[in-house]
Amino acid sequence: MIDSCANNGPCGNHGTCNRNQGDPTCTCAAGYVGSTCATNACEPNPCSHQGECRPMMSASGFRCECQGYSGTTCDTPNQCDTLTIENTAEGSTTCTGSTGQECTYTCGEGFDDSRQGTTEAGRTSCGIDGTFAHAECIGRPCRPYLVPFSDKAGQPGCTGTTTQSCQVTCDQGYSVVGDGGNRNAEIRCLPTGEFSETSCLPNSCQALAIPHSVDGIERTGRTTDVCEYSCL
């Protein structure tokens, strides 16, 4: 009687011959498929997008290890986490997409792309790690702004970048212009590169009558004004 599995029968070097009542069958080693286990499931690599083929004892004979993609052969791109970029021309730009897709944005007036250093259109891509590459619109610095007769009268005065604010407190005896005696003001760094303007003006002093003066006129003035008079 002929042994159908002699010398491992038809199964070669990558399978185990199984004796049956009919023709023998082969149980393939990991990574091999076919009736005689002659086909290497990982040659050529069936995994797309640089996926790694791993030998398996299964009907397909392989498993793909994917990066940024999913599916049996890494054909389906994964979704990236949403990225919101503030201070763009539209106010903010929301980036959504899957592996390999790009998101374009333009920084608003007074802001530059942190990666390019310009206001030209920027791009960020959805990476294999499931996130978009970092993108940010950063404010340009405003020219330092000095406010005489305040706590910002000396250097460096008010400093900051686009949309940042600066608190100004007028000296004692001075008030913010047009603000009804208030000593405090908030100014903001504008997209033009200049701070919004303010000033501290001297307060009016209460009129003073000087008894027995030569002219008998009430003296008026503002903070730091000098009043001269002569007695009778």
Side-chain angles (χ1 to χ4, degrees), residues 39-48 51 53 62 64 73:
T39 301
N40 186 336
C42 286
E43 293 183 4
N45 186 359
C47 308
S48 303
C53 185
F62 72 93
C64 288
T73 56

Side-chain angles (χ1 to χ4, degrees), residues 169-214:
T169 300
C170 295
D171 293 341
Q172 190 73 32
Y174 291 80
S175 300
V176 176
V177 60
D179 201 11
N182 185 12
R183 292 179 56 202
N184 298 307
E186 179 180 273
I187 60 176
R188 194 168 297 276
C189 176
L190 304 175
T192 59
E194 303 286 346
F195 274 95
S196 55
E197 296 183 355
T198 192
S199 58
C200 293
L201 299 181
N203 295 337
S204 296
C205 286
Q206 184 176 358
L208 175 66
I210 303 175
H212 311 298
S213 62
V214 172

Side-chain angles (χ1 to χ4, degrees), residues 87 111 140 161-165 188-191:
N87 302 313
F111 293 86
R140 296 177 191 163
T161 59
T162 306
T163 71
Q164 288 186 336
S165 62
R188 194 168 297 276
C189 176
L190 304 175

Side-chain angles (χ1 to χ4, degrees), residues 28-132:
C28 300
Y32 288 87
V33 293
S35 60
T36 59
C37 304
T39 301
N40 186 336
C42 286
E43 293 183 4
N45 186 359
C47 308
S48 303
H49 301 105
Q50 300 181 336
E52 293 189 22
C53 185
R54 299 296 188 190
M56 298 287 291
M57 289 192 68
S58 62
S60 64
F62 72 93
R63 174 176 61 85
C64 288
E65 291 188 357
C66 310
Q67 287 189 316
Y69 293 82
S70 56
T72 304
T73 56
C74 306
D75 289 323
T76 304
N78 294 338
Q79 288 292 312
C80 265
D81 295 336
T82 299
L83 171 68
T84 300
I85 306 170
E86 301 292 347
N87 302 313
T88 61
E90 297 77 18
S92 65
T93 297
T94 300
C95 294
T96 59
S98 54
T99 305
Q101 289 186 327
E102 289 188 338
C103 175
T104 59
Y105 60 94
T106 301
C107 292
E109 183 183 5
F111 293 86
D112 289 328
D113 189 328
S114 60
R115 297 181 300 165
Q116 301 182 132
T118 68
T119 56
E120 297 178 359
R123 298 176 183 273
T124 180
S125 299
C126 174
I128 61 175
D129 62 351
T131 63
F132 279 93

